[in-house]
Amino acid sequence: MAVTVSLVLLFGLVLFFLLRSKSLGAGSAFIAVMFGFFLASTGASAPINELTTAAINAIPDL
């Protein structure tokens, strides 16, 4: 678990700086995929899924 959280933080930080510098390309896509992959295996996956479900369910009510 500690390794996964460390990788999430590492990939998240790299992705933040890539997006901030607007240097988007294949490397950025790889970083984004790896960030998502490792984020999904942490405890944050359940709240993210609930938030996504709530947002999708709220769209028809707009």
Side-chain angles (χ1 to χ4, degrees):
M1 180 70 175
V3 173
T4 302
V5 172
S6 298
L7 287 173
V8 166
L9 292 175
L10 174 70
F11 284 123
L13 186 65
V14 171
L15 184 60
F16 171 77
F17 284 116
L18 286 172
L19 290 172
R20 187 167 181 200
S21 67
K22 296 181 183 170
S23 61
L24 302 173
S28 298
F30 174 75
I31 295 296
V33 167
M34 294 307 293
F35 175 70
F37 176 76
F38 286 111
L39 184 63
S41 62
T42 64
S45 63
I48 291 171
N49 286 336
E50 291 172 6
L51 179 67
T52 305
T53 303
I56 289 172
N57 290 336
I59 290 174
D61 296 333
L62 293 177

